[in-house]
């Protein structure tokens, strides 16, 4: 039986506003390495969004390479890593020739071919094609076929998938490409898996919300998502990246699973349990999979309070977290209260005033004659309607500076 560790959306180098997350990422990636060893997995798949930006910092690159070297067990445990919409395809594939010697395969472009051959570890690359690789591991007596589907940005679609009817036929183009690969290479004599970084949903099901931290994937021509029915029937497990919550989108034609990101990266992910997925595969049999929770890193919470003592008590009891704190008040949050809250905790990302029982809201809605007013007056009306109070002088000065720069642009 083949055991795969499925993970995705590492976003190495990501910050939470002004808060760096690199130390938490070191901890959680160390935890993933420990899980891979404890579970004795044979193969690791990393389903995109390796980095958080096209030009990651040196510290982020160093953390990736150190982690993958450890995960690969000096080349004895292959790693397949595809690019996501946050990754630069050129940057991701740059170290590939050297990484391959360690059993680490980066794949980010639809015209790429992973070279066939045998590594020093005994791992064999039996067959390759554009968007496909077949592996043979020394201790596994059947081949492993992987259809590789990195994020397809607009240039990729135009160059490699064709321009004609691109907007209307986006799903069909990809489905046809994957079907052709599966029909040619995937049979019941080996295990067949899909590794992709796309927005998948079951046809007719409500769309899953994308995380606040995620750059929206290009929805070509109004195509909101790919459908699970676009996957070939030969596939036994689809390892996905992009959505940050662990969940199985569908069970047909196989388990179609988002592993989750290893850390919560926005407050839309508050209270989510992060996971990796252990997948067991055999030829001709249904996949077995189970999530393993990750414990490292600061959790994210959204909390609402209406008095200072309760606020300070909670902050004292929950010191290791990041927090979006809404404070209910009759007016604005006074300076002493704000200072006390900020001094009580080092992880307050947002402190949001919520005005209790704001008066006169019915008179604040915009009327046709208001459109004759200047930008500053309109901003004051908007702020009052949203917050129940007038903006302070500091905020007004900032707004004046913004509209001044805009008018001079």
């Amino acid at each position: 039986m083949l055991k795969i560790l499925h993970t995705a959306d590492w976003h190495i180098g990501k910050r939470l506003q002004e808060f760096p997350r690199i130390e938490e990422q070191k901890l959680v990636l160390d935890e993933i390495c420990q899980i891979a060893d404890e579970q004795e997995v044979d193969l690791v798949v990393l389903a995109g969004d390796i980095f958080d930006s096209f030009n990651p910092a040196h510290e982020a690159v160093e953390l990736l390479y150190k982690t993958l070297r450890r995960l690969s067990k000096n080349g004895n445990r292959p790693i397949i890593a595809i690019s996501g919409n946050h990754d630069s395809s050129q940057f991701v594939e740059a170290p590939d020739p050297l990484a391959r010697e360690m059993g680490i395969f980066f794949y980010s472009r639809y015209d790429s071919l992973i070279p066939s051959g045998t590594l020093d570890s005994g791992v064999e690359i039996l067959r390759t094609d554009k968007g496909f690789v077949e592996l043979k591991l020394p201790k596994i007596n059947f081949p492993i076929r992987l259809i590789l589907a990195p994020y397809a940005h607009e240039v990729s679609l135009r160059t490699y998938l064709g321009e004609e009817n691109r907007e209307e036929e986006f799903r069909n183009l990809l489905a046809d490409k994957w079907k052709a690969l599966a029909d040619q290479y995937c049979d019941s004599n080996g295990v067949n898996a899909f590794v992709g970084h796309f927005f998948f949903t079951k046809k007719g099901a409500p769309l899953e919300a994308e995380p606040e931290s995620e750059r929206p994937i290009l929805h070509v021509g109004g195509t909101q998502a790919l459908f699970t029915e676009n996957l070939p029937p030969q596939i036994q497990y689809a390892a996905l990246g992009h959505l940050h919550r662990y969940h199985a989108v569908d069970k047909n034609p196989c388990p179609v699973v988002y592993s989750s990101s290893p850390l919560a990266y926005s407050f839309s992910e508050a209270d989510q349990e992060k996971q990796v997925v252990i997948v067991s595969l055999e030829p001709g049999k249904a996949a077995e999979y189970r999530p393993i929770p990750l414990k490292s890193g600061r959790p994210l919470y959204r909390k609402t309070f209406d008095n200072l003592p309760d606020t300070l008590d909670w902050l004292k009891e929950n010191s290791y977290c990041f927090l979006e704190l809404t404070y209910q008040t009759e007016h604005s949050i006074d300076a002493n209260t704000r200072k006390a809250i900020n001094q009580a905790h080092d992880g307050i990302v947002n402190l949001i005033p919520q005005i209790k029982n704001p008066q006169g809201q019915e008179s604040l809605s915009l009327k046709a004659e208001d459109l004759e007013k200047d930008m500053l007056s309109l901003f004051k009306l908007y702020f009052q309607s949203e917050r129940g109070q007038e903006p302070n002088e500091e905020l007004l000065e900032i707004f004046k500076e913004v509209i001044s720069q805009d008018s001079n642009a």
Side-chain angles (χ1 to χ4, degrees):
M1 182 177 290
L2 174 74
K3 291 183 75 173
I4 298 175
L5 186 146
H6 165 204
T7 181
D9 297 286
W10 285 6
H11 289 276
I12 301 177
K14 186 169 182 59
R15 301 172 69 90
L16 183 61
Q17 294 187 26
E18 74 271 21
F19 294 92
R21 311 292 302 277
I22 195 75
E23 294 304 318
E24 295 173 82
Q25 289 176 328
K26 290 177 182 178
L27 292 173
V28 78
L29 295 183
D30 175 74
E31 185 180 357
I32 290 174
C33 291
Q34 292 180 44
I35 291 171
D37 289 342
E38 291 167 0
Q39 296 295 319
E40 299 182 327
V41 302
D42 304 299
L43 173 70
V44 175
V45 296
L46 173 51
D49 279 356
I50 301 166
F51 295 111
D52 191 58
S53 68
F54 282 16
N55 295 296
H58 171 75
E59 190 175 22
V61 176
E62 183 179 12
L63 176 56
L64 175 70
Y65 294 162
K66 284 183 175 180
T67 302
L68 294 185
R69 179 187 175 190
R70 184 176 165 194
L71 266 178
S72 75
K73 298 180 69 175
N74 295 318
N76 292 297
R77 179 194 287 140
I79 299 171
I80 306 292
I82 67 168
S83 60
N85 53 305
H86 280 249
D87 298 312
S88 162
S89 59
Q90 292 86 354
F91 190 94
V92 166
E93 284 202 358
D96 187 62
L98 180 60
R100 280 200 305 269
E101 297 303 313
M102 296 292 294
I104 302 166
F105 302 91
F106 292 102
Y107 196 86
S108 65
R109 300 180 353 148
Y110 275 81
D111 65 338
S112 294
L113 284 171
I114 296 175
S116 58
T118 303
L119 305 180
D120 291 342
S121 63
V123 173
E124 298 178 72
I125 313 301
L126 299 177
R127 296 186 292 180
T128 69
D129 203 335
K130 295 176 181 179
F132 174 82
V133 65
E134 181 177 67
L135 308 173
K136 178 69 173 61
L137 308 188
K139 295 182 180 179
I140 302 294
N141 61 5
F142 49 80
I144 304 157
R145 293 76 169 264
L146 300 172
I147 292 178
L148 305 176
Y151 168 64
H153 55 71
E154 189 172 4
V155 174
S156 295
L157 291 171
R158 184 182 303 117
T159 305
Y160 309 124
L161 301 181
E163 183 69 26
E164 185 178 355
N165 294 324
R166 180 176 57 88
E167 293 188 357
E168 295 81 3
E169 299 299 329
F170 176 58
R171 293 189 185 101
N172 291 337
L173 283 168
L174 290 175
D176 290 346
K177 176 182 176 64
W178 297 333
K179 181 180 184 301
L181 290 171
D183 288 347
Q184 183 172 356
Y185 298 111
C186 298
D187 58 33
S188 59
N189 295 320
V191 298
N192 309 306
F194 176 95
V195 185
H197 193 91
F198 281 98
F199 188 11
F200 270 92
T201 188
K202 183 177 180 179
K203 188 173 183 179
L207 290 179
E208 178 82 10
E210 295 179 84
E212 292 173 2
S213 64
E214 188 59 59
R215 296 193 188 106
I217 277 185
L218 176 66
H219 298 317
V220 181
T223 301
Q224 295 299 305
L226 297 175
F227 296 143
T228 53
E229 66 180 26
N230 298 136
L231 294 169
Q234 296 96 324
I235 297 300
Q236 294 166 270
Y237 180 85
L240 300 184
H242 181 55
L243 300 185
H244 289 188
R245 178 177 69 85
Y246 163 76
H247 67 295
V249 180
D250 201 352
K251 295 181 180 180
N252 293 307
C254 65
V256 182
V257 180
Y258 285 98
S259 64
S260 86
S261 56
L263 296 174
Y265 286 126
S266 73
F267 284 102
S268 65
E269 302 169 48
D271 300 316
Q272 286 183 8
E273 184 173 50
K274 299 303 183 177
Q275 329 250 11
V276 295
V277 184
I278 302 298
V279 188
S280 298
L281 287 169
E282 293 182 77
K285 295 185 179 180
E288 298 178 3
Y289 68 97
R290 59 187 176 90
I292 295 183
L294 297 168
K295 303 300 183 185
S296 301
R298 286 189 174 196
L300 271 59
Y301 297 121
R302 279 174 162 156
K303 301 293 290 184
T304 299
F305 298 97
D306 61 4
N307 66 85
L308 187 57
D310 287 348
T311 305
L312 298 180
D313 286 345
W314 190 94
L315 294 176
K316 183 178 179 180
E317 294 171 2
N318 298 271
S319 59
Y320 188 67
C321 69
F322 288 115
L323 181 65
E324 183 177 272
L325 194 158
T326 299
Y327 193 81
Q328 296 177 335
T329 176
E330 296 292 342
H331 304 289
S332 60
I333 303 175
D334 63 79
N336 289 335
T337 298
R338 185 179 293 273
K339 181 179 179 181
I341 291 173
N342 285 324
Q343 288 183 342
H345 201 283
D346 67 354
I348 297 175
V349 180
N350 299 312
L351 179 54
I352 304 169
Q354 185 180 80
I355 308 303
K356 295 180 180 178
N357 304 317
Q359 299 297 314
Q361 291 284 12
E362 66 282 351
S363 65
L364 295 176
S365 57
L366 286 175
K367 305 176 180 64
E369 56 267 26
D370 290 329
L371 298 179
E372 302 293 329
K373 295 179 179 178
D374 61 90
M375 288 288 290
L376 188 61
S377 299
L378 288 171
F379 175 70
K380 288 180 180 180
L381 280 173
Y382 169 78
F383 194 91
Q384 284 180 289
S385 68
E386 290 294 311
R387 298 294 179 87
Q389 59 179 332
E390 291 197 3
N392 58 37
E393 287 302 319
E394 181 182 5
L395 187 57
L396 288 174
E397 289 303 316
I398 293 172
F399 184 77
K400 289 177 185 177
E401 183 177 345
V402 169
I403 59 177
S404 173
Q405 290 179 351
D406 186 58
S407 64
N408 292 331

